[in-house]
Amino acid sequence: MRGPPSTHVDFPLRVTGQRRTALADDDGYLRGLVEAVIFTRPGERVNRPDFGSGVDNLVFAPGGGELVESTKALVHGALQRALGDLVRVEDVAVEADEATLRVTIVYLPLTGGAPGPERRSMTVTSGAGAPP
C-alpha cells in the first residue's frame, strides 16, 4: 500500500496567493526537473558544470538529419546523466521545421528503483514557431 502523495517545492520557486511557497506533486516535480535539464546550458550551474543539455545552441544550427540526431543524443544523454536515478528515458523525438525545434521526451518515473505506474511525456518547443 502506498503512503500519502509526496510534495516538493515547485520549480521555478514562486509564492501562492496565500503567501506560501508553491508545492508540486511527484509528476509536477519530475516535469520541472526534466525542463531544468533541457533548458540549462552546461557550465551554467557553478557546482554542477555538466548539468544541462545545451540544446539551445542547436536552435539556429542548420536543419536536417544531423540536427535531429544531435538533439536526440544531447537530450537523452543529459537526462540520463542528471536524472537517471529518478526517470528512465524511453524515447526522445525531435522535429526540426524551419526556425522551430520541437523535442518530445517520453520517460518512465522510477520510484525506489522500480518503474512507476505509467509513462509520461512532454514536448518543448523553441525558435520562431514556439508559443509565446
Side-chain angles (χ1 to χ4, degrees):
M1 183 170 182
R2 295 183 113 186
S6 50
T7 55
H8 311 273
V9 174
D10 200 9
F11 180 82
L13 184 64
R14 62 185 176 84
V15 178
T16 66
Q18 294 81 26
R19 297 183 177 174
R20 295 190 175 170
T21 302
L23 301 176
D25 61 6
D26 288 339
D27 284 342
Y29 176 69
L30 284 178
R31 183 177 181 80
L33 290 176
V34 170
E35 288 178 357
V37 171
I38 300 299
F39 293 117
T40 301
R41 294 177 180 165
E44 191 173 314
R45 293 199 175 178
V46 175
N47 292 326
R48 296 199 55 197
D50 63 337
F51 184 87
S53 69
V55 76
D56 63 321
N57 292 330
L58 300 175
V59 172
F60 298 108
E66 298 85 12
L67 174 65
V68 169
E69 293 306 315
S70 297
T71 305
K72 282 183 182 183
L74 277 173
V75 169
H76 193 276
L79 289 170
Q80 278 304 126
R81 190 173 46 254
L83 304 177
D85 57 334
L86 297 174
V87 299
R88 179 173 52 208
V89 180
E90 298 278 315
D91 188 34
V92 176
V94 178
E95 295 175 49
D97 182 30
E98 295 185 20
T100 303
L101 188 63
R102 185 172 298 106
V103 180
T104 302
I105 301 129
V106 178
Y107 60 94
L108 189 64
L110 301 176
T111 54
E118 59 188 55
R119 288 176 180 82
R120 310 288 193 274
S121 71
M122 64 180 289
T123 301
V124 293
T125 305
S126 185

